[in-house]
Amino acid sequence: MTVTRIGEAVRRKEDHRFITGKGQYTDDIFRPRQTHAYFLRSPHAHARIRRLDTAEAAAMPGVVGILTGKDLAEDKIGDLICGWMIHDIHGQPMKMGSHPALAKEKVRYVGDHVAVVIAERLDQARDAAEAIEVDYEVLPAVADLATATDATAALVHDEIAGNLAFEWHLGHKAMTDHAFERAHHVTRLDIVNNRLVPNPMEPRAAIGEYDSGNDSFTLWTTSQNPHVARLVLSAFVGIAPEHKLRVIAPDVGGGFGSKIFIYAEETVCAWASKRVGRPVKWTSDRSEAFLSDAHGRDHITTAELALDERGKITALRVKTRANMGAYLSTFASSIPTYLYATLLSGQYDIPAIHAAVEAVYTTTAPVDAYRGAGRPEATFVVERLAEAAAREIGMDPADFRKKNFIRKFPHQTPVIMTYDIGNYRASLDKAMEIADVKGFNRRRRQSAREGKLRGLGYSCYIEACGIAPSQAVGSLGAGVGLWESAEVRVNPTGNVEVLTGSHSHGQGHETTFAQLVSDRLGIPIEQVTVVHGDTDKVQFGMGTYGSRSGAVGMSAIVKALDKVEAKAKKIASHLLEAAEADIEFKDGKFSVAGTDRSIDFASVALNAYVAHKFPTSEIEPGLKEGAFYDPVNFTFPAGTHICELEIDPATGRTTICNWTAVDDFGVVINPMIVEGQVHGGIAQGVGQALLEGAAYDRDGQLVTGSFMDYAMPRADDLPSFKMGFTETKCPSNPLGIKGCGEAGAIAAPAAVMNAITDALGTEAVPMPATPQTVWKIARTRAAPRAAE
Amino acid sequence: MFAFTYHRPSSVRKAAALAASVADGKLLAGGHTLIPTLKQRLAAPGDVIDLGGIPDLAGIELRGRTLSIGAMTRHAEVAASPVVKEAVPALAYLAGLIGDPAVRNRGTIGGSIANNDPSADYPAACLGLGATIITSQRRIEADDFFTGLFETALEPGEIITRIAFPAVKKAAYVKFANPASRYAMVGVFAAKRTADIRVAVTGASQSGVFRWTEAEEALKKRFAGRSLDGLSLPADDMISDLHGSGEYRAHLVGVIAQRAVEAAAG
């Protein structure tokens, strides 16, 4: 039994459970007398409900209850909320359309919730749902983002003119415009950041259970942040007071942001369990997931970069229209604003930036955070511009970046952020070496001889993780603080339970968090258990998203460990009969400085609980400490990804040949887990660039509603990645961690598209660059670059 | 899924008799089309007749120059079969391209052919090799079997028992897969057996799998990819969807056919 150190690639403790089928997901839970919910969903993108008749359906076999928006209103259940208030360019609050968990007068997207049928069996619920009579007055769909604000467009929410949730801006407009007037060269790109469906492996699920004896509820659900779910369901939706509502997020099979939000189905299951007096279970099928999980991205952007005569960037100007879908989802408003425009400086020293954003309602599924959440969109804008600008002025894209990199830290950007530390040149240099950029022209000529077009693209991304401090995010409109909590419980026999407000749904917290404790307390990793995901066990926590668990969640654990160590030292000083100041703690042993007298951690723990050998008037018995940690700044992971690919112009098929990722995540706790996070992120980013694209037709029907038409990346779409790390320690948290969860998804799309545009010799290539799209462009290119 | 009566007969005769006796029966082979359709409530048969319990429908054998594959043979078995690899290597290769391992271990050759999905792979092999479909009632030449989208020459209640392929070495299948579904967006099976040259195309046409006779004619002069230079198909006849227009598919047929011929001639 040895200690596991920070930095060791130790295998994941949770994997034994997962790969032997012992994971306990929400759908694996069976409550006594549970019923099954089936949601009747709108088949129309936009319609007024003239009449809703459930009488015949209610009499069908097995039906326990049918509930509608009317019942919600009767119980005074509130609307679902958006938890980030944006004030528009005129200082007015954003326009939030009413978002009932079950439709009231109107339905606003295909998949919107009309009624819930609760029955003994799922098939009975479904049969009954098919017997519900709904008389729809079909209204015109607003499916096209570009024309959604036209005067002729129907209104998604009758009271919101022009379908505009808000117009918002960031940066200095006059300064930026002035720089553009004086620019030596301006590069301009029209960019569509394609709409994505998150598709975690486990679909959403919920079981609501009401205990009439205690007048309390339990909700098992697929949540990345069970405490936030409880807070929203209590304080805003009004299911039950917080102390009467327990939310449990057991094993969760991936989220990618889509399980942050508080959705209609989970809300209804909790509420309905009291209505019907029995537990109510719902598990989304894949088709429902496509229709009703919050989608990601979906921006239309015009972006411009101003350069001086030496190729130095003088200004960046961006206009973005962001699709919000039919309703403002839980954090939707923050994504195309504070999580997007604040990163538009990229890794570059840009004196003036201005971003104007319109957030627009359409009759499509709500759009909210998806892995990266605003930051992939920002990196895509900046990195596509950088590559295109370098090409236009005839400068090597890597040299162009080196010329414009920020070199001095801390660096204040014109868009709020203060970058604390980084070394962008180091990661670019290392990536270029690993990718053998020097040999690229030779490889390109070889491809040309075989009739193929080869391209190379860079993406020097930056992200902001661990959104904080709470005071700052509050001033920007966040409805919550973004600290994290931890509790370290040392048991009398010296093993440890760590309770954390971070939630693991694939990130490997049970290993990395235990690794931290093992390293710090000098006890084997096997003697540490990480507890999360239950509001009855963990006091409070903000959950997992935005790559915050390491930087914020682990910092809270460090703070609690500091307190544990301090108290243990006090106890050890009594046991060793020495002054507290003379006690040293190292490798799991408390010793008296300059002597051979020592006592191990487990003995101190036992003594803490038996309390025989120290005065309890001075030191309380027990060894359990909690901490709340609020960071002083965001963290800023950054790095360079290089994509090299080959296009078959005859078919349009793109094959990625080489992928190099050099990331600066600060201190890395477990390199194997971190690499895995980057791998997954790259796969999703490549998915966005080459394969994935959610499409609605003119009537607002989702035409990519299954894996038959929505292309997910598979292993054989990807090469084996070449990875490297550089390290600048994050100065704002005790471990020097920056976060790694989203980097791949942020970096990858721009790297792929920079390589494709390099191969094809045109900047106008939309995502996803499917074979047909690439073929169409390739055949119109008379002299592709490969022939040069 | 709606309720139905499940049958598992032990012989082809019993299965055929059952199929004839029920009003609204469906035969179940690998179930890769039928089961999802039932789950989505897009079909509601009164009876499902599972062919999985009929020993006669299994097995791969080579008799002389004829490779005979039982209708319930799984794709994975065909892909891994040393007999198939020896007699018609292109057929084993094709079977290994269908779906994913889970699909290949359930899906059957008979089911695929009977369903005649316009994007399925096996119909191209049957047509490209000039196979014979043997049923509970008769023998049907592949040329007469595939009659349109999801349509075949099978009569109600008629059950495919085996498929007989001629042993052909000079044959190749090249598949351009749909990036989402991995079904064939265009799949071309090209084969040369003495004077008989066949080019069968799946995935592309609105009327399902077809023989590209113009290409076959051109290849009679010389069986080489170049012989197809300048040949084209009308885009109007091609499937047009989210993933590829008719024009793109028509173009792909030309490119993929050349590659298939080159591989077969190789």
Side-chain angles (χ1 to χ4, degrees), chain A residues 122-124 126-127 130 287 452 648-653 690-691 693 695 703-704 707-712 714 716-717 770-772 775-776 779, chain B residues 1-3 38-42 100 117 175-183 185 240-249 251-252 255-256 259:
Chain A
L122 183 59
D123 62 326
Q124 291 171 329
R126 197 170 166 181
D127 286 342
E130 286 174 8
S287 304
K452 303 281 173 60
D648 177 355
T651 62
R653 170 147 291 169
L690 295 181
L691 297 160
V703 291
T704 50
F707 292 133
M708 286 296 282
D709 291 308
Y710 187 89
M712 290 290 282
R714 293 162 163 92
D716 65 355
D717 290 315
T770 61
Q772 171 171 249
W775 169 73
K776 275 188 189 159
R779 70 174 179 160
Chain B
M1 203 178 281
F2 296 105
L38 293 177
K39 283 168 97 170
Q40 289 177 66
R41 298 192 158 190
L42 297 171
D100 54 37
D117 187 302
K175 174 174 176 175
F176 190 86
N178 178 315
S181 69
R182 297 279 176 102
Y183 272 87
M185 220 149 98
S240 187
D241 61 19
L242 186 71
H243 308 283
S245 63
E247 190 192 9
Y248 178 52
R249 278 193 168 81
H251 163 81
L252 278 180
V255 173
I256 302 303
R259 292 181 184 179

Side-chain angles (χ1 to χ4, degrees), chain A residues 423-476:
Chain A
N423 185 346
Y424 306 142
R425 176 72 190 259
S427 45
L428 175 60
D429 285 343
K430 188 165 180 178
M432 289 177 76
E433 196 190 316
I434 295 174
D436 184 26
V437 172
K438 280 191 189 132
F440 172 69
N441 277 326
R442 183 175 42 77
R443 296 192 293 276
R444 170 176 271 186
R445 285 193 297 273
Q446 179 58 34
S447 295
R449 280 194 288 277
E450 292 161 12
K452 303 281 173 60
L453 307 174
R454 189 174 274 255
L456 182 136
Y458 297 90
S459 179
C460 298
Y461 75 94
I462 188 160
E463 63 171 316
C465 300
I467 310 173
S470 296
Q471 232 176 15
V473 296
S475 74
L476 302 179

Side-chain angles (χ1 to χ4, degrees), chain B residues 82-97:
Chain B
V83 178
V84 180
K85 281 183 184 169
E86 176 59 31
V88 195
L91 186 63
Y93 172 76
L94 174 147
L97 296 180

